[in-house]
Amino acid sequence: MGPLVLLFSFSLLHLCATQVTPRFVQTGTDLLLDVQEPVVLKETDLFTWIVGSVAVVRLNHGGKPTIFPNFKSRAELSAQNHSLLLKNVQKRDSGVYRARVSGASISDVVEYNVTVLDPVSGVKLTVKPCSSNSTNVTVICSTEDSLINSTFTCDNQTCSHKGGERAEIITPGGSLDVYLKNGSVICNHSNQVSSTRDIQKIEDFCVKPEVLNGGPNNVTPIVVAIILSLVVVLAVI
Ligand SMILES: *[C@@H]1O[C@H](CO)[C@@H](O)[C@H](O)[C@H]1NC(C)=O
Ligand SMILES: *[C@@H]1O[C@H](CO)[C@@H](O)[C@H](O)[C@H]1NC(C)=O
Ligand SMILES: *[C@@H]1O[C@H](CO)[C@@H](O)[C@H](O)[C@H]1NC(C)=O
Ligand SMILES: *[C@@H]1O[C@H](CO)[C@@H](O)[C@H](O)[C@H]1NC(C)=O
Ligand SMILES: *[C@@H]1O[C@H](CO)[C@@H](O)[C@H](O)[C@H]1NC(C)=O
Ligand SMILES: *[C@@H]1O[C@H](CO)[C@@H](O)[C@H](O)[C@H]1NC(C)=O
Ligand SMILES: *[C@@H]1O[C@H](CO)[C@@H](O)[C@H](O)[C@H]1NC(C)=O
Ligand SMILES: *[C@@H]1O[C@H](CO)[C@@H](O)[C@H](O)[C@H]1NC(C)=O
């Protein structure tokens, strides 16, 4: 029991000590890594932003920030609050960023786990209409690199999901969902930084015979109106 409790409290301590904030950011955008609490540097202190084991920028007490060559012209350190601005991030900029104060002791002020992602590709939704003797609808949602198909069963009012879901090779971190909402099928392709969707009204594909029969009745008044106006025009002439 003793070692277990010890292990448990160690894990808790460990969790508290390293509060890594996950950050997802889209390729090509600017990323601001904030330092919330004020950092006061003592005379012997050195402030550094590092990613992995690579230094981004360094600042000593009362000095000017030094940006390291890899980050020249694309990293900025806020003089007021020590936040780091990284411009036009690329996927290779992903990593764990730490704001570190080193002097007599070393402590990390903040830690961010940065993941740079491309936006997801577009989606296309294809609905195979109900056949006359079936109320089952097959929906296929496809992207450049994945495919999902779903079957819906429709009554005269609504359609419900029936399964038959299958997704293949999805871009890392991405997800593809097909769902029914308010009489429409929605296909949603998304990751942490972006989403694309295609939407189609499902009722249009599941027209019941009753509704079909109602069609001509709706047309009749229009036809009557046209004939009537023709008669009026002819009468005037
Ligand atoms: C730190 O400074 C930057 C730029 O000067 C600003 O955009 C950011 O909001 C500031 N962050 C905090 C936590 O004050
Ligand atoms: C950082 O985030 C990525 C993607 O979510 C994850 O795979 C990785 O394990 C995380 N790393 C750390 C140190 O938290
Ligand atoms: C539905 O109709 C098609 C032809 O229109 C027929 O081949 C099929 O067997 C029918 N299915 C059922 C379940 O009645
Ligand atoms: C429609 O769904 C029902 C219930 O799963 C199934 O028994 C039937 O074969 C399906 N009809 C067609 C035409 O796929
Ligand atoms: C779903 O897609 C898989 C693979 O493309 C196919 O084998 C399966 O028949 C499809 N299901 C429906 C209901 O269309
Ligand atoms: C739709 O179905 C419900 C029962 O499922 C029925 O009460 C209703 O009359 C139907 N409406 C039409 C327009 O067919
Ligand atoms: C559902 O769609 C109808 C029209 O298509 C709209 O009037 C209604 O507000 C929608 N309801 C919800 C909850 O989105
Ligand atoms: C798409 O899916 C994502 C993740 O499941 C969700 O956050 C987002 O709200 C969805 N977008 C729409 C328009 O449904």
Side-chain angles (χ1 to χ4, degrees):
M1 198 66 193
L4 200 69
V5 169
L6 202 65
L7 193 71
F8 182 65
S9 31
F10 175 76
S11 316
L12 273 182
L13 270 177
H14 191 68
L15 271 178
C16 293
T18 56
Q19 270 271 333
V20 187
T21 311
R23 285 289 297 271
F24 294 92
V25 59
Q26 187 171 318
T27 311
T29 59
D30 295 350
L31 170 68
L32 180 72
L33 298 177
D34 254 332
V35 176
Q36 301 292 345
E37 51 188 287
V39 175
V40 180
L41 295 181
K42 292 196 230 64
E43 208 146 322
T44 51
D45 282 349
L46 195 62
F47 176 88
T48 327
W49 267 105
I50 55 174
V51 50
S53 58
V54 175
V56 179
V57 57
R58 189 183 68 188
L59 178 74
N60 56 19
H61 173 82
K64 272 190 168 177
T66 306
I67 312 238
F68 288 95
N70 275 349
F71 295 90
K72 269 262 147 43
S73 78
R74 57 188 205 95
E76 274 173 24
L77 182 72
S78 158
Q80 291 91 42
N81 61 29
H82 299 88
S83 297
L84 177 70
L85 179 69
L86 264 187
K87 294 182 208 158
N88 187 21
V89 291
Q90 301 301 317
K91 276 189 283 229
R92 60 185 146 78
D93 291 324
S94 299
V96 177
Y97 286 73
R98 297 185 175 89
R100 176 167 290 177
V101 176
S102 40
S105 64
I106 294 172
S107 67
D108 290 339
V109 188
V110 280
E111 272 183 74
Y112 291 99
N113 183 5
V114 173
T115 310
V116 182
L117 292 170
D118 284 335
V120 292
S121 59
V123 280
K124 190 172 183 321
L125 189 62
T126 315
V127 179
K128 288 184 181 164
C130 311
S131 52
S132 57
N133 57 7
S134 166
T135 53
N136 300 357
V137 188
T138 304
V139 168
I140 297 165
C141 176
S142 52
T143 71
E144 276 166 16
D145 46 21
S146 51
L147 187 118
I148 196 169
N149 58 17
S150 281
T151 312
F152 291 91
T153 311
C154 303
D155 60 19
N156 60 8
Q157 296 294 317
T158 52
C159 297
S160 58
H161 194 217
K162 228 186 59 189
E165 212 161 89
R166 182 184 157 127
E168 293 162 354
I169 328 157
I170 291 187
T171 350
S175 70
L176 194 60
D177 288 308
V178 186
Y179 55 93
L180 194 72
K181 195 176 175 190
N182 198 16
S184 294
V185 204
I186 299 169
C187 178
N188 181 4
H189 188 203
S190 63
N191 64 10
Q192 285 89 346
V193 299
S194 70
S195 76
T196 56
R197 63 196 296 221
D198 195 1
I199 178 165
Q200 279 189 43
K201 276 222 156 299
I202 205 163
E203 286 107 336
D204 302 347
F205 297 95
C206 287
V207 185
K208 306 299 303 177
E210 305 91 75
V211 182
L212 269 178
N213 293 340
N217 292 339
N218 292 338
V219 174
T220 316
I222 301 169
V223 174
V224 168
I226 291 171
I227 291 171
L228 267 180
S229 38
L230 273 177
V231 167
V232 169
V233 167
L234 280 176
V236 167
I237 290 167

